Amino acid sequence: SQTIHQWPATLVQPVGSPLSLECTVEGTSNPNLYWYRQAAGRGLQLLFYSVGIGQISSEVPQNLSASRPQDRQFILSSKKLLLSDSGFYLCAWSDLADTQYFGPGTRLTVL
Amino acid sequence: DQQVKQNSPSLSVQEGRISILNCDYTNSMFDYFLWYKKYPAEGPTFLISISSIKDKNEDGRFTVFLNKSAKHLSLHIVPSQPGDSAVYFCAASSNNAGNMLTFGGGTRLMVKP
């Protein structure tokens, strides 16, 4: 069966510091991968998606970036965090079907 | 412009009664709809989905209804249980858009014992 991992589970970072969140998927090949953010009291906002290694599409322009160095690894990064980057970050995967399956999420607090 | 809307931010229901969560959409190209359940500090869990060729899909206590003419879908939970208390997101996708999901803002369901 497929599983999706995210780490760290929680993170507290100062403004201006870098960020690296990692997501890995097991049990499937060539998945579509997604990064979402859930800000407090709001829905899920798609940040990035990837249909293959090195292929990244950005949905929202911001100071975040994503990379997919391996088939089942998806990384969310920032060079300098802003206060507004605080939120709950979710990674998801899907295969050829429409359903996306989510990881456990990372709670990021920028102080 | 929100293409998927959940107009009720919260809903309170007594245990054993029916919970009805509503979702409206504007994009007529959407052809697949999903419901997710989310507990605090956890990732959303897929609940149930429906294709636009159907108007109803049932899975245990959960039933999703789709009214294409009204661009409306709803999730019925019968009977509601305290463990159902969570935030519920509806989502929609279009084959033309590469199956990307567009989410509603979520509805917080509270089931009272």
Side-chain angles (χ1 to χ4, degrees):
Chain A
S1 64
Q2 299 85 4
T3 56
I4 179 168
H5 305 278
Q6 282 185 247
W7 63 90
T10 60
L11 190 60
V12 180
Q13 291 284 92
V15 169
S17 64
L19 173 74
S20 181
L21 302 181
E22 190 163 343
C23 170
T24 58
V25 181
E26 296 176 358
T28 186
S29 296
N30 196 30
N32 292 341
L33 296 172
Y34 311 84
W35 278 112
Y36 289 87
R37 176 171 58 202
Q38 181 188 18
R42 299 176 64 181
L44 299 175
Q45 180 187 37
L46 178 63
L47 302 175
F48 300 95
Y49 69 93
S50 171
V51 298
I53 295 175
Q55 301 179 57
I56 307 294
S57 296
S58 174
E59 290 294 300
V60 182
Q62 55 208 324
N63 69 319
L64 298 173
S65 62
S67 62
R68 185 170 177 173
Q70 300 180 41
D71 180 45
R72 290 169 287 178
Q73 184 185 30
F74 206 22
I75 297 173
L76 182 69
S77 304
S78 174
K79 292 182 179 178
K80 286 185 177 182
L81 283 169
L82 307 172
L83 285 174
S84 57
D85 291 325
S86 292
F88 193 58
Y89 288 82
L90 291 154
C91 181
W93 74 273
S94 69
D95 51 22
L96 294 177
D98 295 296
T99 305
Q100 293 179 19
Y101 299 93
F102 287 82
T106 295
R107 169 74 60 194
L108 172 66
T109 303
V110 182
L111 301 176
Chain B
D1 176 35
Q2 275 189 290
Q3 297 189 62
V4 179
K5 289 184 180 180
Q6 293 176 253
N7 291 317
S8 297
S10 64
L11 174 67
S12 183
V13 172
Q14 203 68 34
E15 181 179 6
R17 306 294 291 270
I18 184 172
S19 295
I20 301 177
L21 298 134
N22 294 304
C23 180
D24 297 294
Y25 62 96
T26 57
N27 188 342
S28 58
M29 299 302 293
F30 286 145
D31 54 15
Y32 188 68
F33 305 89
L34 309 91
W35 283 96
Y36 286 85
K37 173 182 178 181
K38 185 182 182 300
Y39 293 117
E42 293 184 12
T45 303
F46 169 70
L47 267 180
I48 192 169
S49 62
I50 188 168
S51 165
S52 60
I53 63 173
K54 293 185 174 181
D55 54 19
K56 176 184 175 181
N57 189 25
E58 190 172 352
D59 183 2
R61 296 187 297 116
F62 302 93
T63 304
V64 55
F65 295 92
L66 176 63
N67 183 333
K68 289 185 289 294
S69 60
K71 294 190 178 65
H72 177 83
L73 68 153
S74 60
L75 175 68
H76 292 209
I77 306 174
V78 181
S80 301
Q81 300 173 354
D84 295 329
S85 298
V87 176
Y88 289 78
F89 291 98
C90 68
S93 70
S94 162
N95 194 42
N96 290 341
N99 299 329
M100 303 304 299
L101 290 183
T102 301
F103 283 86
T107 297
R108 181 176 301 280
L109 173 65
M110 292 163 285
V111 180
K112 299 178 180 178

